[in-house]
Amino acid sequence: MAFFKLAVASLALFFHGFVVNADTVIYDWNITWTTANPDGMLERPVIGINGQWPLPVLNLTKGDRVIANVYNGLGNESTSIHWHGFFHRGTNDMDGPPHVVQCEISPGSTFTYNFTLEQSGLYWYHSHSRGQYPDGLRQALIITDPENPYRGQYDEELVVTLSDWYHDQMPGLLKDFISVSNPTGAEPVPNSALMNETQNFELPVQPGKTYLLRLVNIGAFASQYFWIEGHNLTIVEVDGVWTKPAETKMIYLTSAQRYSVLVTMKNDTTKNYPMVGSMDTDLFDAIPSDLNYNVTGFLVYDKNGHRPQPYVLDTFDPYDDFDLEPTDGIALYENPDQVIVLNMSMNNLGDGANYAFFNDITYTAQKVPTLYSVLSSGSAATNPVIYGRDTNSYVLLKDQVIDVVLNNMDTGKHPFHLHGHNFQVLYRSPDDEGFFNSTNTTSFPAVPMRRDTFMARPTGNFLIRFKADNPGVWLFHCHLNFHLDAGLAMTFVEAPLAIQETVKIPQNHYDVCKASGELTAGNAAGNTVDLFDLTGENRSVDPLPAGFTTKGIVALVFSCIAAFLGMAAVAWYGAAPIGAPMIPNTQ
Ligand code: C2O
């Protein structure tokens, strides 16, 4: 299965004191449909690579050059690959999100990703095309650093992925989610949870050994608690950042988050122990009675021994990631140059469907990928207007220190991910604190925890800080798949004039755009003559008429259902957009 062994001690010895000769690692990937039944309940189509699913865990070494030739053999869907957590310094065009830094790879096209690994730790790769990765295109990726601060303190590395799993495919789930028949925006509840893309996963272990367990949540929506009965977890890495050791019994991983933990095995081989991933049911509007929200795997000391079922927990007490401290000692950046306040909300637009917003803007992809607009607009690139209203773009100047205040006006938990950076976490409020208020926090950590995905608590807030030292177009978005597709994203256009000097798009990427019929120059609308004329830019659905509220929509939908039920017109449910004649107060 998806774990591997590495003779780390001998590698460290071999590399010690040498300049490592970096390898070039070439992947030739054919992205195709295959089938799988990972929870044993339903065989369904999944997206595989070269006919294989689960996808390969990539084992790379810091300094390697990666060349991935990605052929889209799906036939019916476009695709793309995002390398989650990578800085892509100088190679912003290899980051992956379509309409942001590249075009969609349409069926029959091959797109080549080509970049060098400057980071180390645990990452993952996944499709960044609309809603796609939970259909299977997702897997862990490890970059070994022979010089890592914990070398010599563990015997082997093992990968454990956690995820939710849906029996239905994403395009249908998204259609139902962003729909007039779902005005409250209730997210689809997963059918099961997986560990290493299966259930009852077995990890053969040896007594007395210490393992570096690499944990990543590659799921679409559900956060997971993780613990191993009878064993402590010592956190040493968070989202690619080595940390001082922090011991705990349990960790909490939102979608896209990673932790590496040291786990020392018992000396006694008479018992096997369950390891448990447990989906955070707070995220679910309703819990189906037949849902098993846990997934169990086993540390197997004795392969002939019993596999004990885990104890059921009713309270969870995971480690608070805010308290972690990076071993590199990078101190709090001083004196922010720009403070960006993002008020996050979820609400209905005029089609009656529920969308997600930063500062009342729901992200809408443009006709020209934003990076291509940067490269084709000369000095106008510093004006965010040219990127289109609904990319919600902010231009950052090179090396500025940027504060982002996130006010979560929603009652759900949301993990926010920034591309191209890991950010310092300065403050996170408890539940229900409301808007960020600087008087609630008197001091920030001297060496703040850094990561690339961080969760805001329900109707709470957080403050993060990063340095704009990586020229590129970087998305900031909620990593809950459904919310991203409901528009919960915005764009940082970081040092656009420096991008123009450093990023050069290879001809292959333009060829892919040609095949997908997308534009590659001009402003968001593709206007190359007048960059400030945005006529024809893509825009979100218009807002509801004034005075019409979410409550009104809910009431309207339910009263319509009631009215139609008697006429056996149930088929209307979920089909028709709300038209003007149905809106009573506009007649
Ligand atoms: Cu892992 Cu923009 O995502």
Side-chain angles (χ1 to χ4, degrees), residues 49-127:
I49 291 181
N50 300 339
Q52 184 194 338
W53 194 91
L55 305 187
V57 173
L58 308 185
N59 295 303
L60 297 157
T61 306
K62 191 175 174 181
D64 283 352
R65 169 168 293 274
V66 173
I67 299 177
N69 301 307
V70 177
Y71 172 75
N72 179 356
L74 291 170
N76 63 340
E77 288 185 15
S78 293
T79 195
S80 56
I81 302 284
H82 169 53
W83 312 86
H84 182 114
F86 286 14
F87 297 160
H88 286 297
R89 210 171 287 279
T91 54
N92 182 215
D93 50 326
M94 303 296 171
D95 187 45
H99 315 292
V100 182
V101 299
Q102 67 167 80
C103 296
E104 293 278 7
I105 312 172
S106 50
S109 285
T110 301
F111 186 102
T112 298
Y113 295 92
N114 183 340
F115 49 85
T116 304
L117 303 175
E118 62 168 295
Q119 295 155 273
S120 68
L122 177 58
Y123 299 87
W124 61 303
Y125 63 100
H126 63 81
S127 166

Side-chain angles (χ1 to χ4, degrees), residues 82-85 97 124 126 128 133 256 417 419 453 475 477 479 484:
H82 169 53
W83 312 86
H84 182 114
W124 61 303
H126 63 81
H128 216 294
Y133 80 79
H417 170 48
H419 286 226
T453 307
L475 276 188
H477 64 86
H479 215 286
L484 171 57

Side-chain angles (χ1 to χ4, degrees), residues 75-364:
N76 63 340
E77 288 185 15
S78 293
T79 195
S80 56
I81 302 284
H82 169 53
W83 312 86
H84 182 114
F86 286 14
F87 297 160
H88 286 297
R89 210 171 287 279
T91 54
N92 182 215
D93 50 326
M94 303 296 171
D95 187 45
H99 315 292
V100 182
V101 299
Q102 67 167 80
C103 296
E104 293 278 7
I105 312 172
S106 50
S109 285
T110 301
F111 186 102
T112 298
Y113 295 92
N114 183 340
F115 49 85
T116 304
L117 303 175
E118 62 168 295
Q119 295 155 273
S120 68
L122 177 58
Y123 299 87
W124 61 303
Y125 63 100
H126 63 81
S127 166
H128 216 294
S129 295
R130 183 177 168 80
Q132 190 175 61
Y133 80 79
D135 282 334
L137 192 42
R138 57 183 193 183
Q139 189 51 289
L141 180 168
I142 291 153
I143 309 173
T144 299
D145 177 3
E147 300 288 335
N148 85 68
Y150 290 92
R151 66 186 177 275
Q153 294 184 39
Y154 53 93
D155 300 286
E156 283 183 34
E157 295 184 43
L158 304 164
V159 176
V160 174
T161 68
L162 297 167
S163 70
D164 43 23
W165 188 247
Y166 291 87
H167 290 164
D168 293 320
Q169 287 174 241
M170 278 295 144
L173 288 173
L174 276 170
K175 196 157 166 273
D176 293 347
F177 171 62
I178 305 172
S179 150
V180 64
S181 64
N182 184 30
T184 62
E187 298 84 2
V189 175
N191 298 96
S192 54
L194 303 178
M195 183 182 290
N196 284 5
E197 305 284 35
T198 186
Q199 293 183 333
N200 300 310
F201 172 73
E202 303 206 340
L203 206 54
V205 296
Q206 287 175 10
K209 278 198 170 175
T210 296
Y211 294 91
L212 182 66
L213 213 62
R214 306 279 209 173
L215 296 157
V216 49
N217 184 340
I218 59 174
F221 177 52
S223 300
Q224 299 219 23
Y225 298 95
F226 175 85
W227 68 95
I228 305 178
E229 285 187 9
H231 294 71
N232 284 346
L233 313 172
T234 303
I235 300 168
V236 293
E237 187 217 319
V238 56
D239 293 358
V241 178
W242 294 100
T243 66
K244 293 190 174 165
E247 197 165 313
T248 182
K249 295 257 180 240
M250 182 183 285
I251 56 179
Y252 181 87
L253 301 97
T254 70
S255 166
Q257 288 187 326
R258 292 92 65 203
Y259 289 90
S260 294
V261 297
L262 294 172
V263 191
T264 298
M265 298 301 115
K266 297 178 184 299
N267 284 317
D268 156 21
T269 60
T270 56
K271 267 183 75 180
N272 298 323
Y273 292 86
M275 18 178 210
V276 191
S278 185
M279 295 194 288
D280 180 356
T281 56
D282 286 0
L283 288 132
F284 306 155
D285 285 39
I287 306 176
S289 56
D290 59 346
L291 174 68
N292 178 3
Y293 51 83
N294 289 341
V295 60
T296 305
F298 300 95
L299 290 189
V300 179
Y301 287 82
D302 171 10
K303 74 175 189 318
N304 301 316
H306 176 59
R307 273 58 166 172
Q309 283 310 302
Y311 295 103
V312 176
L313 302 186
D314 34 43
T315 54
F316 298 93
D317 184 22
Y319 192 86
D320 184 349
D321 57 341
F322 184 83
D323 296 333
L324 293 169
E325 190 178 327
T327 55
D328 58 27
I330 293 181
L332 177 71
Y333 305 134
E334 303 282 358
N335 309 324
D337 299 291
Q338 203 181 153
V339 180
I340 295 167
V341 178
L342 298 174
N343 295 331
M344 184 242 124
S345 59
M346 304 190 79
N347 217 331
N348 299 92
L349 288 178
D351 60 356
N354 197 274
Y355 292 86
F357 306 81
F358 285 128
N359 300 340
D360 298 324
I361 294 177
T362 184
Y363 181 91
T364 306

